[in-house]
Each structure stands twice: as structure tokens, then as C-alpha cells.
Amino acid sequence: MKMGIISEERDWITDELKNKMEQNDIDPIIIKPSKIVNTLSKKGIKFEHNSRNLFDLECAFVRDIGFGEEMMHRFDIIECLSTYIPIINPPQAIQDAGNKYRTSFLLSRNEIPQSETIVSEDINKILAYSDKFDDSVLKPFFGNGGQGLVRLKGRSTVAKLNILNTFKETNPAFYMQKFINNPNNVYRDIRAFVIGDRVVSAMYRESDNWITNIKQNGTPKQCEITREITKLALAAKEALGLYYAGVDLIESETGLKVIEVNACPSWEGLSKVSEEDITQLLINEANRIVKKHRMDKLTEKYIN
């Protein structure tokens, strides 16, 4: 059996998946999306990477497709490839999770609690809501690791206008959320890791700063998986149409709220406090997806 790992750059997660595949007698094929060649001719459709036929893969994990204008083309290629083999996670779901506006819309449509959110190109509307919220955070539509976040609390109207004008230079519109103060009077949130129909592990991310991401020097600490965490994390994963997800939650006076849903989450920090072998559980889920894909193909062939 061959499984792909689609990643423009090698990192801890890529190597972890590769090593675990080898331990499971699976041949890992690392694929740089920039090197995929799609040939369309009278002879048919081919997807190749370094002259290897990608139809030989049973499935492929998506880890990192890079940044810049090339992203859309690479998403198109991977989405077309998903017509033939299972892609983990599905490309459309990755796009929805990667766009904070689309994530918030899907969460809201499925009545999943999140912080009050305003999205607009109108700088005056955003300015008015920043006063209404009292404490608010500007976030770029795309991005992860806590990069590009701007908190507006305590700033004058002139300072806010300067920030908003600068923000608009690199963002198509404004995405602003009401800032939620943790009732425990600490800077922390919760990362719940969902695989299939189970929350397999969770951690607190604590920090001296309001941005608690591990990449921003947040500290991972073990977190008990409660019914509320399970309910919200599973609901968020399903709303986005993901096979697995890293769901970020924040504690509030009225219960947990979803901050973000990650379609290509890292579990490097989580692995330091988790009692579960997360990578093995992901390989098990991939095998389940592959088996279902085979059965669906057989059923389709039989019906036709």
C-alpha cells in the first residue's frame, strides 16, 4: 500500500507521518505540490510527481501547499486529484477551514457558539462595532499560528483608524471578533484534536500573552476531555466537512465557544502531553477512509 503526504516543505508532522506509515508497512510518498504534473490528452488524464503515477496511491494527506498566488492553482490540482483518490482532508473543507469568514459562516449556520463576529469592507461599520464590542480583535481572513492578529482595546479613535487603514492594505476586508476574557483570569484556550467521530486528545495552551498559539510561545498542558468539549469539537469538525481537525475553543462566562477550526493541524505540541498515539490513530482513520472508498467504487461499478 502507498499513501501520499502532500507538503511543499518537510516538517515534524511530515516526518512523523512518514515514520508511522513505515511502521505500518505502508510506503510513504512525499509529494511537493509544485512538482505535480497533470496531463490531459486523448489518452486520458494523468497526475504525476517525479514521473510517479499518483493514481497508484491509496490516499494522500495534505499538509502544506505553500503560500502566494500559486496556492489557488495547487488547490485546483489537489481537488481534481481527489476525484480519483481520497484526499485527507477534502480540498473544499481545507479551503473553508482556511478562510476565517467561511468558517464563521458555517459555524453560525450550524448554530455552533462562537464570538460575535462582524465582516465588512466598510471601515466606518468596523469602527462602530469596535466601540460596541469594547474589546475586539482584527484577524486576517487567511493565516495561522496567531500571525496578523491586532487587538483594539484601549485605543483612541484616531489610533483605531490608523490600524484599520494599515490592515486594509493587506486584507480584502475586515474580519473582527469580540474579544472573550477568560473567566479564570488567565490567557489560555483549548485545542481539541478530533479524528473521525472521537475527540482523541485535548490540551490547554497557556501564555503570558493573549495570543496563546504554540508558535507564539504558548505552553501545552493536558486538558480533560469533557462532554462540552466533545460536543462542540465534533460539531465544528462536521460543520466544516473534515475527516480530522484541530478545533480551538475558548472558555467564557456562558460556556465554551469555537475560535477556529484547523484542517491541517499540527500535533507536535499536543503529542508532548497526550497519552494517545495521535499519528497512529490518523493512519487508522486513513485506512478506514481507503476501505470505504474501495467499497463505494465497487458499489458504483455494480450499479452501473
Side-chain angles (χ1 to χ4, degrees):
M1 176 186 285
K2 297 181 177 68
M3 286 188 183
I5 306 170
I6 300 173
S7 190
E8 193 65 16
E9 302 291 339
R10 293 282 292 266
D11 62 3
W12 184 92
I13 297 295
T14 306
D15 290 335
E16 179 74 1
L17 281 170
K18 176 181 178 294
N19 294 336
K20 190 62 67 174
M21 286 178 186
E22 290 172 343
Q23 291 172 24
N24 284 264
D25 296 322
I26 297 168
D27 187 10
I29 309 299
I30 297 178
I31 301 158
K32 293 189 71 168
S34 60
K35 300 297 183 182
I36 297 175
V37 177
N38 183 201
T39 304
L40 311 166
S41 69
K42 291 182 180 180
K43 294 180 180 180
I45 297 172
K46 289 196 302 183
F47 289 85
E48 295 178 303
H49 179 266
N50 292 337
S51 300
R52 181 189 295 273
N53 184 357
L54 296 186
F55 290 161
D56 290 341
L57 301 175
E58 294 286 356
C59 67
F61 285 88
V62 177
R63 287 304 311 160
D64 168 31
I65 65 166
F67 297 95
E69 296 179 358
E70 299 87 355
M71 281 183 62
M72 293 307 298
H73 163 68
R74 293 171 187 172
F75 260 120
D76 288 343
I77 285 281
I78 293 168
E79 189 163 20
C80 290
L81 179 61
S82 71
T83 307
Y84 301 94
I85 65 170
I87 301 296
I88 306 170
N89 273 304
Q92 183 58 58
I94 293 176
Q95 287 186 314
D96 287 341
N99 183 321
K100 289 184 177 63
Y101 166 60
R102 287 162 72 165
T103 297
S104 285
F105 176 79
L106 290 169
L107 292 175
S108 184
R109 192 173 72 176
N110 286 276
E111 299 181 349
I112 298 169
Q114 63 180 317
S115 178
E116 189 174 349
T117 304
I118 177 75
V119 180
S120 177
E121 293 184 44
D122 189 330
I123 194 168
N124 293 317
K125 291 289 185 184
I126 296 297
L127 187 62
Y129 267 88
S130 72
D131 292 333
K132 175 187 173 183
F133 288 164
D134 182 47
D135 193 356
S136 57
V137 180
L138 277 175
K139 300 180 179 181
F141 279 65
F142 307 94
N144 54 40
Q147 296 180 341
L149 307 185
V150 183
R151 192 171 171 187
L152 298 178
K153 181 181 180 180
R155 300 180 188 270
S156 67
T157 299
V158 172
K160 286 181 182 179
L161 280 170
N162 288 334
I163 290 168
L164 292 173
N165 281 313
T166 301
F167 187 87
K168 189 67 184 293
E169 291 174 3
T170 54
N171 293 275
F174 300 105
Y175 173 100
M176 187 173 70
Q177 289 188 315
K178 183 176 181 179
F179 184 83
I180 297 174
N181 287 297
N182 192 302
N184 298 294
N185 202 31
V186 293
Y187 288 131
R188 77 177 185 189
D189 62 13
I190 297 168
R191 162 63 62 87
F193 205 94
V194 188
I195 301 177
D197 59 0
R198 180 183 164 217
V199 178
V200 301
S201 193
M203 68 175 172
Y204 289 114
R205 299 185 298 190
E206 297 186 358
S207 177
D208 294 331
N209 187 280
W210 63 274
I211 301 177
T212 58
N213 300 69
I214 298 298
K215 289 183 178 179
Q216 301 283 354
N217 297 319
T219 301
K221 294 188 177 180
Q222 195 169 43
C223 173
E224 178 187 355
I225 301 172
T226 64
R227 289 184 179 180
E228 187 180 16
I229 288 174
T230 297
K231 180 182 177 181
L232 274 187
L234 287 175
K237 188 216 74 158
E238 289 298 319
L240 272 293
L242 297 160
Y243 293 128
Y244 78 102
V247 181
D248 295 342
L249 308 164
I250 187 76
E251 299 156 289
S252 78
E253 296 287 355
T254 56
L256 294 176
K257 297 181 187 295
V258 177
I259 307 172
E260 195 169 336
V261 183
N262 300 272
C264 300
S266 170
W267 58 96
E268 183 176 3
L270 183 58
S271 67
K272 296 174 182 177
V273 297
S274 176
E275 296 176 357
E276 296 278 7
D277 186 339
I278 294 171
T279 316
Q280 182 61 57
L281 293 174
L282 276 172
I283 298 300
N284 295 347
E285 179 67 7
N287 280 321
R288 185 196 67 78
I289 292 166
V290 166
K291 289 177 182 177
K292 184 179 183 303
H293 178 72
R294 288 174 181 168
M295 290 300 298
D296 289 346
K297 287 294 182 183
L298 284 173
T299 302
E300 181 183 331
K301 183 177 181 180
Y302 178 77
I303 292 174
N304 294 334

